C-alpha cells in the first residue's frame, strides 16, 4: 500500500528526519493561507499523487509569490498529471503540498527495500540523486551503493558511516546522514514497509541535510497490525475494481489486456495468464476467487471483471479441490441470469464433482464454450476474441 508524500514526511518527521515545514491544501484559498502562515519568500507547490516523476511532469513548482502559489495550485488541483510513472491518462490531483522552498547545493538518493534474494532489508544510496536516479541506475550502476542489513543486528552505525562516506559526505554531514539512515530504517522496520525512499536527500544552503521528497510503500499483508498506516490509505488512488474486489474477499489485479480471467487459486491464475499469453492473448486481469467460491463470489467476480470495458472474452478456469464444480457451475448460470453478459465465456472445469458441473452448464441454455484442459481453454478464449472483435 502506498501513501502520499505529505503523509510519509509526517511519519519520518516523527522518527527525527528533517523535512521542510509544510501542509497540505485542497484548494487555492487553503494554499494561500498556508503559504502566508509558513512565511518566507519562496514556496514549493507539489501535486500529491501516488506516482513519482512529478518534477518531470510539472507537478513540482517553485513559487516566488503568494499569487504564484495560487496560480500553481489552481493549475494542479483538478488536473490529470502525467508523469513517466502514470501512463498516458495521468492521475487526478486532489491536493497539493505547500512547503517552504530551500536552496539546494546537491541532491542525493537514499532508499531501502527488501532484497528478496538475500532476504534482507537493503540500503540503496547514491551521490547522484534527484530526478534522474533511474537513468543513473541503468547507465552507471557503479554509482549506486548497496548495503544489506543483518536482521539480528539491525542497521549498524559503522554501516551508516561507510555508506555516508561513499556518498561523498564529509565532516558533520556524515553523522547527519547516518542519523537519517537509522531513522529511515526504524520507520521501515516498525511499520512493515516494503520500500522507503528519500529522493532527493538534499544538502541545503544552511549546511544541513533535509528530506525534500519521501515515499513509502507498506506490506498489505501486515496492515492488520498497523492501524496507523491503514488509516493513511487513499482509495481514490487505487483501482476501484481492486478496492471492490478486496471487499468481497477476491484477489483481483487489473491488467491492460482484453481476456478476463476468473480462476481459483493464485498459482492456477498465474498459469492461466501464461497460457493465454502463450496463445498470443493478453490477460485483462488476475483474479483468484479463492477456495470456497460461493455463487455470490462468482457473481461478484463477473461483475468486477466486466467493469473493465476492455474485456472482450472471459476464461473461467476452475480446478476444484475444496471447491465443487457443481457449485461453481450454479454460480456461473446465476451470473448469466443476473447480469447482462454479452462477451463469450470459455469454461474449463476440473476436479471435485466435475461430472455434475458440466451438465448444469449445458442444461442452462447459455452459450458457454466448454474446454477440456488449460491449453484447450486458452486456445478457445483467444479464438473467441478474434470472433468478438
Ligand atoms: P518527484 O519528481 O515526483 O520525485 O518530486 P520531487 O519532490 O523529488 O521534486 C522534484 C525536484 O524538484 C527535486 O529533485 C528538486 O530538484 C526540486 N525541488 C523539490 N523541493 C524543492 C525545494 O524546496 N527547493 C528547490 N529549489 N527545489 C526543490
Ligand atoms: Mn523525488
Amino acid at each position: 500500500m502506498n501513501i502520499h508524500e505529505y503523509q510519509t514526511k509526517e511519519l519520518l518527521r516523527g522518527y527525527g528526519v528533517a523535512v521542510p515545514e509544510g501542509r497540505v491544501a485542497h484548494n487555492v484559498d487553503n494554499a494561500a493561507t498556508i503559504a502566508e502562515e509558513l512565511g518566507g519568500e519562496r514556496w514549493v507547490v507539489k501535486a500529491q499523487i501516488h506516482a513519482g516523476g512529478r518534477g518531470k511532469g510539472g507537478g513540482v513548482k517553485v513559487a516566488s509569490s503568494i499569487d504564484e502559489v495560487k496560480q500553481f495550485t489552481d493549475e494542479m488541483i483538478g488536473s490529470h498529471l502525467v508523469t513517466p510513472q502514470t501512463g498516458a491518462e495521468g492521475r487526478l490531483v486532489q491536493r497539493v503540498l505547500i512547503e517552504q522552498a530551500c536552496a539546494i547545493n546537491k541532491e542525493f538518493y537514499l532508499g531501502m527495500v527488501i532484497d528478496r534474494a538475500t532476504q534482507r532489508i537493503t540500503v540503496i544510496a547514491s551521490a547522484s540523486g534527484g530526478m534522474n536516479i533511474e537513468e543513473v541506475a541503468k547507465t552507471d550502476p557503479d554509482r549506486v551503493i548497496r548495503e544489506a542489513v543483518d536482521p539480528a543486528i539491525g542497521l549498524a552505525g559503522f554501516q551508516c558511516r561507510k555508506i555516508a562516506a561513499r556518498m561523498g559526505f564529509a565532516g558533520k554531514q556524515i553523522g547527519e546522514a547516518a542519523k537519517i539512515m537509522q531513522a529511515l530504517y526504524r520507520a521501515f522496520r516498525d511499520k512493515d514497509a516494503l520500500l522507503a525512499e528519500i529522493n532527493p536527500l538534499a544538502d541545503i544552503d544552511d549546511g544541513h541535510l533535509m528530506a525534500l521528497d519521501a515515499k513509502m510503500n507498506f506490506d498489505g499483508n501486515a496492515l492488520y497490525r498497523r492501524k496507523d498506516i491503514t488509516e493513511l490509505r487513499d482509495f481514490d488512488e487505487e483501482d476501484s475494481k481492486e478496492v471492490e474486489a478486496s471487499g468481497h474477499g477476491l484477489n483481483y489485479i487489473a491488467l491492460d489486456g482484453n481476456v478476463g480471467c476468473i480462476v481459483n487459486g493464485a498459482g492456477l491464475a498465474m498459469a492461466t495468464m501464461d497460457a493465454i499469453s502463450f496463445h498470443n492473448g493478453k490477460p485483462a486481469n488476475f483474479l483468484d476467487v479463492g477456495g470456497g467460491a460461493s455463487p455470490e463470489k462468482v457473481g461478484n467476480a463477473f461483475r468486477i471483471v466486466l467493469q473493465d470495458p476492455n474485456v472482450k472474452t472471459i476464461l473461467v478456469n476452475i480446478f476444484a479441490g475444496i471447491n465443487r464444480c457443481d457449485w461453481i457451475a450454479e454460480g456461473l448460470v446465476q451470473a448469466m441470469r443476473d447480469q447482462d453478459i454479452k462477451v463469450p465465456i470459455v469454461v474449463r472445469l476440473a476436479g471435485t464433482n466435475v461430472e455434475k458441473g458440466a451438465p448444469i452448464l449445458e442444461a442452462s441454455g447459455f452459450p458457454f464454450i466448454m474446454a477440456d484442459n488449460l491449453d484447450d481453454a486458452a486456445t478457445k478464449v483467444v479464438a473467441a476474441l478474434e470472433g468478438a472483435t
Side-chain angles (χ1 to χ4, degrees):
M1 186 193 90
N2 285 311
I3 61 173
H4 288 292
E5 175 193 11
Y6 76 93
Q7 297 168 320
T8 310
K9 282 178 164 166
E10 231 13 77
L11 182 76
L12 292 180
R13 189 201 297 275
Y15 280 86
V17 176
V19 296
E21 286 297 325
R23 271 188 287 139
V24 77
H26 297 264
N27 57 45
V28 172
D29 288 344
N30 271 184
T33 309
I34 291 168
E36 272 159 15
E37 284 175 8
L38 289 172
E41 281 158 12
R42 284 163 69 246
W43 301 267
V44 194
V45 181
K46 310 185 77 176
Q48 298 298 288
I49 55 169
H50 285 188
R54 294 164 305 166
K56 288 186 173 158
V60 177
K61 290 202 168 147
V62 180
S64 309
S65 66
I66 300 284
D67 277 342
E68 269 189 353
V69 169
K70 288 180 169 175
Q71 182 200 326
F72 296 149
T73 303
D74 194 36
E75 284 165 9
M76 284 182 207
I77 290 184
S79 75
H80 285 262
L81 181 64
V82 179
T83 84
Q85 296 181 16
T86 58
E89 70 283 8
R91 287 282 181 86
L92 177 66
V93 181
Q94 294 181 304
R95 40 180 108 63
V96 294
L97 175 62
I98 310 291
E99 290 183 331
Q100 249 172 6
C102 43
I104 303 170
N105 293 327
K106 185 168 162 52
E107 301 189 8
F108 298 83
Y109 178 92
L110 176 64
M112 290 180 195
V113 291
I114 293 178
D115 180 345
R116 284 166 191 266
T118 57
Q119 302 184 357
R120 286 175 179 209
I121 296 175
T122 300
V123 182
I124 297 173
S126 179
S128 316
M131 297 200 279
N132 292 318
I133 185 67
E134 285 89 356
E135 197 58 34
V136 171
K138 245 185 244 151
T139 57
D140 213 350
D142 289 348
R143 275 154 67 192
V144 178
I145 303 155
R146 284 165 204 277
E147 180 85 14
V149 181
D150 185 328
I153 298 168
L155 180 60
F158 80 88
Q159 291 182 295
C160 298
R161 289 189 296 277
K162 183 172 78 181
I163 298 164
R166 287 186 63 195
M167 287 168 87
F169 290 119
K172 277 208 303 228
Q173 284 189 342
I174 291 192
E176 226 174 290
K179 200 182 133 224
I180 293 172
M181 288 176 210
Q182 294 283 6
L184 194 64
Y185 176 73
R186 280 201 306 278
F188 191 106
R189 191 202 50 198
D190 288 0
K191 303 298 180 191
D192 293 310
L194 296 175
L195 171 130
E197 188 178 85
I198 297 175
N199 184 36
L201 172 65
D203 170 2
I204 57 175
D205 60 356
D206 69 358
H208 291 290
L209 301 181
M210 198 176 247
L212 292 193
D213 184 20
K215 172 179 181 168
M216 281 182 90
N217 177 274
F218 302 91
D219 185 348
N221 293 316
L223 288 176
Y224 73 95
R225 62 182 191 187
R226 301 285 167 241
K227 278 242 152 35
D228 53 339
I229 301 300
T230 312
E231 281 169 6
L232 303 178
R233 188 164 175 188
D234 180 356
F235 289 102
D236 287 342
E237 289 284 334
E238 297 178 25
D239 185 298
S240 61
K241 302 189 291 311
E242 292 180 11
V243 173
E244 189 185 341
S246 71
H248 293 305
L250 300 166
N251 218 331
Y252 173 93
I253 293 162
L255 301 167
D256 57 6
N258 50 11
V259 180
C261 302
I262 296 177
V263 187
N264 74 312
L268 189 60
M270 298 293 283
T272 304
M273 288 162 49
D274 281 351
I276 292 167
S277 302
F278 182 77
H279 287 282
N280 300 317
K282 272 188 99 182
N285 66 276
F286 167 99
L287 195 159
D288 170 14
V289 293
S294 61
E296 289 74 34
K297 260 193 173 176
V298 173
N300 288 328
F302 270 101
R303 212 166 282 124
I304 287 161
V305 168
L306 286 166
Q307 275 174 30
D308 177 351
N310 292 328
V311 168
K312 297 288 183 283
T313 60
I314 294 179
L315 172 49
V316 180
N317 185 16
I318 304 292
F319 196 106
I322 305 168
N323 265 319
R324 295 169 43 156
C325 288
D326 48 336
W327 291 2
I328 293 281
E330 280 163 15
L332 291 176
V333 173
Q334 192 66 41
M336 294 299 277
R337 278 198 199 114
D338 294 348
Q339 301 175 46
D340 183 25
I341 299 175
K342 296 210 173 67
V343 302
I345 304 211
V346 177
V347 183
R348 181 261 179 149
L349 296 176
T352 310
N353 286 0
V354 64
E355 66 290 348
K356 291 186 190 164
I360 293 173
L361 296 181
E362 276 151 29
S364 73
F366 290 113
F368 294 110
I369 303 166
M370 300 304 292
D372 297 329
N373 54 51
L374 178 52
D375 193 64
D376 186 35
T379 308
K380 283 178 172 160
V381 83
V382 174
L385 192 63
E386 277 151 21
T389 47

